[in-house]
């Protein structure tokens, strides 16, 4: 699928139709030198509809500097939250509005607009009957006005719209992951320059529970070991430090279990088939933004009962996300977004795979 700076792959089902939402960071500027942080960020989110074994263009939504799309429902209502990291074509404005769209029966219309700063990811989750929408945001790079930076923020549904609930300290946030262990609700928050922290719901707020990574945090995934019933938390880091943690029931915290070698970790997904439990790790770049290597190998791991073992590597170029479409078959679809070409241009192909592991 032709995309430009694709940053996420969000599957969504409305009625009998299946769609893909793919936000795009930037378009290439003719004649401009290649740079992963350059380009024209006045982009639109691509909506594709499934037609048999393919996805075909269906529509677009305004989403400049698109970084993420999160689909969720509240009762009979369907929403698509889009994170916009920036506007402009250089210099860039990181104070960019991010929009939550609502399905009106024929398409998506703007429902609520948030004032955000370098927005990267929305995550919708529930705690009991309460509904939350969390935004990871912020950037801390030389030359940016640091006073403009903002913490990540959690909003709560008040019955009519989302209202501010709680700030989460951050400087360069990337991701969230909500899950439960032993009846307790947890929320993992990934940050690039500050520690990535696991928060625990105390009945009123999310409070720090433990540090998961000191720096370079990108994404998380959890799964239950089929044999031992233990809960495992995978922490992806952009440096060579991704790891698998195991929940220690007695200690009430996660402990080190396994290290996953290789730098570049950007996103994770758990895939369950009749042949076992697998974890997909999508790798972004090696090197620096000024001189990145984008043509990498991403991994598929299989759980062997005690550890994750690499069973397959496949090519990605500036890989950013993997979406899993469980269509009821034993072989789900994986949608992998590539945000850069091998020569560091934004125009790149994102790919739909049939998983047969």
């Amino acid at each position: 699928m032709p995309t430009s700076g694709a940053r996420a792959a969000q599957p969504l089902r409305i009625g009998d139709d299946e769609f893909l939402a793919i936000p795009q960071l930037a378009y290439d500027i003719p004649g401009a030198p290649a740079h992963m942080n350059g380009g024209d960020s006045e982009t639109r989110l691509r909506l594709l509809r499934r037609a048999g074994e393919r996805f075909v263009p269906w529509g677009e939504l305004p989403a400049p500097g698109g970084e993420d799309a999160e689909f969720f429902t509240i009762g009979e209502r369907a929403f698509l939250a889009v994170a916009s990291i920036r506007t402009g074509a250089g210099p860039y404005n990181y104070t960019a509005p991010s929009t939550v769209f609502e399905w009106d029966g024929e398409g998506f219309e703007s429902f609520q607009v948030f004032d955000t700063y370098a927005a990267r990811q929305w995550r919708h989750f529930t705690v009991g009957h309460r509904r939350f929408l969390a935004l990871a945001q912020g950037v801390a790079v030389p030359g940016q006005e640091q006073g403009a930076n903002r913490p990540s923020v959690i909003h709560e549904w008040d019955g009519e719209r989302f209202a501010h609930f709680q700030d989460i300290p951050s400087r360069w946030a990337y991701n969230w992951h909500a899950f439960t262990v032993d009846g307790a609700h947890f929320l993992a928050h990934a940050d690039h320059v500050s520690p990535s922290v696991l928060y625990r719901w105390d009945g009123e707020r999310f409070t720090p529970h433990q540090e998961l990574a000191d720096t370079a945090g990108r994404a998380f995934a959890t799964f239950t070991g089929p044999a031992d019933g233990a809960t495992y938390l995978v922490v992806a880091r952009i440096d060579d430090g991704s790891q698998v943690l195991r929940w220690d029931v007695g200690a009430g915290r996660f402990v080190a279990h396994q290290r996953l070698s290789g730098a570049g970790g950007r996103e994770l997904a758990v895939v369950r088939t009749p042949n076992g439990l697998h974890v997909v790790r999508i790798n972004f770049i090696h090197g620096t933004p000024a001189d990145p290597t984008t043509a990498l190998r991403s991994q598929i791991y299989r759980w062997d009962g005690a550890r994750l073992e690499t069973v397959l590597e496949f090519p990605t170029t500036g890989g950013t996300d993997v979406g899993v479409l469980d269509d009821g078959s034993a072989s789900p679809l994986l949608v992998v977004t590539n945000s850069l070409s091998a020569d560091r241009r934004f125009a790149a192909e994102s790919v739909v795979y049939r998983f047969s592991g």
Side-chain angles (χ1 to χ4, degrees):
M1 302 178 297
T3 53
S4 185
R7 306 297 272 194
Q10 175 61 67
L12 51 142
R13 179 183 288 274
I14 299 176
D16 295 329
D17 289 323
E18 288 183 274
F19 297 91
L20 284 177
I22 301 180
Q24 303 179 116
L25 173 66
Y27 301 134
D28 292 308
I29 299 175
H35 195 291
M36 61 173 282
N37 289 330
D40 179 357
S41 58
E42 296 304 312
T43 57
R44 299 179 69 83
L45 176 145
R46 297 200 69 198
L47 284 168
L48 301 101
R49 184 168 61 182
R50 186 171 181 177
E53 285 293 288
R54 301 182 63 81
F55 285 87
V56 297
W58 185 80
E60 294 182 333
L61 293 174
E67 277 281 327
D68 184 57
E70 172 80 341
F71 177 73
F72 58 95
T73 59
I74 298 177
E76 298 299 317
R77 302 170 69 179
F79 298 90
L80 184 67
V82 180
S84 291
I85 191 171
R86 67 186 194 184
T87 59
Y92 302 100
N93 183 6
Y94 288 87
T95 305
S98 294
T99 303
V100 176
F101 297 91
E102 183 177 7
W103 182 258
D104 66 3
E106 296 182 355
F108 285 100
E109 296 291 338
S110 177
F111 168 74
Q112 187 173 357
V113 179
F114 293 84
D115 183 19
T116 60
Y117 185 81
R120 277 197 181 79
Q121 195 210 52
W122 290 107
R123 181 66 70 221
H124 173 264
F125 61 96
T126 60
V127 176
H129 66 280
R130 302 175 70 170
R131 293 182 174 273
F132 297 98
L133 184 63
L135 174 71
Q137 66 177 349
V139 65
V141 295
Q144 293 298 328
E145 183 182 349
Q146 296 307 302
N149 210 357
R150 302 179 191 176
S152 293
V153 61
I154 303 172
H155 305 277
E156 183 177 10
W157 180 252
D158 66 7
E160 296 183 358
R161 59 197 297 110
F162 287 98
H164 178 273
F165 175 75
Q166 179 182 351
D167 288 340
I168 297 294
S170 63
R171 293 176 62 200
W172 197 334
Y174 267 88
N175 221 316
W176 303 95
H177 182 60
F179 60 97
T180 60
V181 180
D182 294 339
H185 294 271
F186 291 94
L187 181 64
H189 176 261
D191 197 286
H192 179 61
V193 296
S194 298
S196 295
V197 175
L198 180 66
Y199 290 84
R200 180 173 181 148
W201 177 252
D202 68 4
E204 296 182 356
R205 298 178 68 79
F206 292 94
T207 59
H209 184 75
Q210 74 174 96
E211 185 177 305
L212 299 174
D214 54 354
T215 59
R218 285 299 183 275
F220 312 96
T222 47
F223 64 89
T224 301
D228 60 12
T231 298
Y232 294 88
L233 173 64
V234 188
V235 181
R237 297 171 60 166
I238 193 71
D239 63 7
D240 191 7
S242 297
Q243 59 183 331
V244 182
L245 308 177
R246 176 179 49 81
W247 179 254
D248 186 316
V249 177
R253 59 191 293 111
F254 284 96
V255 297
H257 180 78
Q258 178 187 358
R259 180 177 175 275
L260 301 178
S261 62
R266 166 76 182 221
E267 194 53 85
L268 300 162
V270 176
V271 183
R272 296 174 176 84
T273 73
N275 293 324
L277 184 147
H278 300 78
V279 172
V280 183
R281 183 178 74 173
I282 301 299
N283 295 322
F284 181 45
I285 65 166
H286 290 173
T288 67
D291 187 24
T293 298
T294 63
L296 304 179
R297 309 288 288 182
S298 292
Q299 290 78 36
I300 296 179
Y301 304 92
R302 187 178 187 276
W303 183 250
D304 70 0
R307 299 171 64 82
L308 290 174
E309 298 292 340
T310 305
V311 294
L312 180 69
E313 293 191 328
F314 62 99
T316 48
T317 56
T320 49
D321 197 17
V322 52
V324 181
L325 288 82
D326 185 356
D327 58 1
S329 73
S331 302
L333 298 179
L334 302 186
V335 184
V336 176
T337 49
N338 293 304
S339 66
L340 295 162
S341 64
D343 60 357
R344 308 173 191 178
R345 297 292 179 177
F346 292 109
E349 289 186 336
S350 296
V351 184
V352 181
Y353 296 93
R354 174 68 73 178
F355 187 85
S356 58

